[in-house]
Amino acid sequence: QVQLVESGGGLVQPGGSLTLSCAASGIIFSSNTMGWYRQAPGQQRELVATITRGGITNYQNSVKGRFTISRDNAKNTVYLQMNSLKPEDTAVYYCNLENYDVLSRRYAYWGQGTQVTVAS
């Protein structure tokens, strides 16, 4: 029902920057949250940042001040600007969309993931 297509991953040196994009298509409710999660090898998937349709953001503490999440509602696209990247930011980054219906039931969708590698 919802398709998420990510782009923008790659290899970057420590201290560098990358921007991830995720375009959503399909049935997207007027009440939704989009976000980014990441999973490093041997680790659990963890929240990086989320943003509501109204622009309310939430960040993992370790990325505050370095990463910025934004969205273009007209394009159903979410972005993650990542600055001052560290080797510990290396992971597969997954785009997430959560639709909320009139009963506040949540429907979650995931992208296929994009690799971000921070190394010199």
Side-chain angles (χ1 to χ4, degrees):
Q1 290 184 326
V2 173
Q3 295 77 43
L4 301 172
V5 179
E6 300 137 335
S7 60
L11 172 64
V12 64
Q13 292 186 341
S17 299
L18 276 177
T19 300
L20 305 182
S21 301
C22 173
S25 61
I27 301 174
I28 300 170
F29 294 179
S30 59
S31 178
N32 68 74
T33 296
M34 298 187 76
W36 293 93
Y37 290 69
R38 66 187 181 187
Q39 187 168 18
Q43 303 293 320
Q44 290 188 332
R45 190 173 297 187
E46 62 179 8
L47 179 149
V48 176
T50 61
I51 183 168
T52 67
R53 186 173 176 85
I56 298 173
T57 59
N58 180 46
Y59 292 93
Q60 181 193 116
N61 284 338
S62 69
V63 306
K64 286 182 179 178
R66 299 188 298 123
F67 292 8
T68 302
I69 191 170
S70 61
R71 63 186 289 170
D72 183 334
N73 290 332
K75 296 181 180 179
N76 290 320
T77 299
V78 64
Y79 306 94
L80 186 68
Q81 174 67 45
M82 304 184 292
N83 299 325
S84 302
L85 282 160
K86 305 175 181 180
E88 51 263 43
D89 294 317
T90 296
V92 178
Y93 283 68
Y94 294 92
C95 179
N96 169 267
L97 182 146
E98 296 188 348
N99 277 329
Y100 300 91
D101 68 14
V102 294
L103 299 178
S104 297
R105 290 176 297 195
R106 181 172 63 95
Y107 304 88
Y109 304 90
W110 295 92
Q112 78 283 0
T114 185
Q115 177 70 46
V116 172
T117 302
V118 185
S120 54

